[in-house]
Amino acid sequence: MNAKKETERIQLTKFISNSELRLLVYGIEEYETPDFILKLNDKRVSVEHTRLINPKLQQVEQYKEKIIENARKLFREKYDAELYVLITFDNIVLKSGKVAEKEYSKEVFKFIETIYLNNREFDFDISTKFNSENPSELINDFSVSNNRKFENWQHFGCYLVEEINYEWLKSVIKKKEKNISKYPEDYDEDWLLLVCDFGTEASTHSFNRLNQLKFETKFDKIYIYNYMPNKYCEIK
């Protein structure tokens, strides 16, 4: 099983295990088209799976993660020390080209290096928790420690949960709906599982207008599943 399929299966398994659904599932078959087949009571149910991730926000998140990973590599090339690093960027701009990426990475590395060199003789845990001023033009918040006994560098921060773009949502549904005509056999029901909320801004959405909308679709059921809080809504 490839990593993508394994992740999809984990998400589907968690979804069907939600006690509020009250589903009696006797088996999950992995497929390509459809993505999965559920043995549900006396039915065979096809399941199309997709993640609701805003592609533009995902691109920004991946850019931030790449900068931090580059900075981590620069640090590890120079120092034999495992740090726990959390960073929130402030004024970072998504730019193309290696020059901008290299400059951002170098700035993060230099910032972390300074903290490390000033405190490496001690067990330290330093953050902006009690500091009202931004530590730099690029970095808004940070937490750096050497006492966690493992290495982890990542971006973190709060964000405003935006209302999902419903035209985009409809286009996602339509795209997956096209697969139904490609199924090698008919199933008792055809479901679409839309998974979101993985703890990132790009995957977290608000659905305040869902009750006002109608979705014309060939799917018998469509579920939106919020993965982290383990909540769902049925939109058809």
Side-chain angles (χ1 to χ4, degrees):
M1 188 192 314
N2 62 41
K4 179 177 180 293
K5 200 69 174 181
E6 184 176 3
T7 299
E8 290 176 351
R9 185 180 180 118
I10 290 170
Q11 293 165 3
L12 175 61
T13 301
K14 186 178 178 183
F15 166 70
I16 62 177
S17 301
N18 188 297
S19 59
E20 294 182 11
L21 280 168
R22 298 182 179 180
L23 296 177
L24 293 175
V25 179
Y26 297 101
I28 302 174
E29 296 177 20
E30 292 165 16
Y31 226 70
E32 288 303 319
T33 308
D35 294 315
F36 297 94
I37 301 167
L38 294 182
K39 296 178 181 178
L40 180 63
N41 297 333
D42 58 347
K43 298 178 181 178
R44 280 168 58 81
V45 175
S46 72
V47 179
E48 289 290 336
H49 173 291
T50 196
R51 297 181 299 165
L52 292 177
I53 298 179
N54 184 309
K56 292 182 179 179
L57 288 178
Q58 185 182 35
Q59 188 180 13
V60 175
E61 287 175 351
Q62 289 172 341
Y63 189 58
K64 292 175 180 178
E65 290 168 2
K66 190 172 184 180
I67 289 165
I68 292 175
E69 176 60 14
N70 289 344
R72 185 194 69 80
K73 289 179 179 178
L74 289 171
F75 182 85
R76 292 295 273 156
E77 286 172 2
K78 197 170 181 180
Y79 304 104
D80 183 23
E82 293 184 341
L83 298 184
Y84 183 87
V85 178
L86 300 177
I87 292 175
T88 301
F89 291 117
D90 188 16
N91 296 317
I92 197 166
V93 178
L94 183 62
K95 297 180 181 179
S96 60
K98 289 292 183 181
V99 174
E101 181 185 310
K102 187 176 181 180
E103 288 303 312
Y104 281 144
S105 301
K106 188 184 297 183
E107 183 173 345
V108 172
F109 160 67
K110 287 293 185 181
F111 181 78
I112 300 301
E113 180 184 44
T114 300
I115 293 173
Y116 172 71
L117 292 177
N118 289 338
N119 299 276
R120 61 180 172 177
E121 301 301 323
F122 315 96
D123 284 345
F124 64 84
D125 194 338
I126 300 171
S127 71
T128 50
K129 185 176 180 180
F130 302 108
N131 191 342
S132 60
E133 295 183 3
N134 288 9
S136 76
E137 291 185 3
L138 180 64
I139 297 171
N140 186 52
D141 289 296
F142 72 90
S143 178
V144 183
S145 59
N146 68 346
N147 56 11
R148 303 293 183 96
K149 306 304 180 185
F150 68 97
E151 183 178 64
N152 180 60
W153 293 51
Q154 70 180 69
H155 178 264
F156 82 109
C158 299
Y159 48 83
L160 180 66
V161 179
E162 300 284 353
E163 187 77 8
I164 195 167
N165 182 315
Y166 287 97
E167 291 305 313
W168 174 64
L169 176 60
K170 290 177 181 178
S171 71
V172 171
I173 293 171
K174 285 294 182 184
K175 183 177 180 180
K176 294 297 285 186
E177 185 183 65
K178 292 178 181 178
N179 287 343
I180 295 176
S181 62
K182 303 175 186 176
Y183 291 174
E185 61 180 291
D186 292 330
Y187 300 97
D188 296 297
E189 290 185 5
D190 299 314
W191 291 7
L192 173 60
L193 180 63
L194 303 168
V195 189
C196 61
D197 198 351
F198 304 107
T200 65
E201 183 178 6
S203 70
T204 307
H205 313 278
S206 176
F207 301 95
N208 294 323
R209 291 174 47 221
L210 265 181
N211 294 334
Q212 304 170 25
L213 302 175
K214 291 183 179 180
F215 295 91
E216 299 295 331
T217 177
K218 295 177 182 178
F219 286 109
D220 296 294
K221 290 186 178 180
I222 300 177
Y223 292 98
I224 294 177
Y225 179 49
N226 294 76
Y227 183 77
M228 293 288 282
N230 191 24
K231 294 181 179 179
Y232 74 92
C233 63
E234 186 175 346
I235 65 176
K236 187 192 175 185

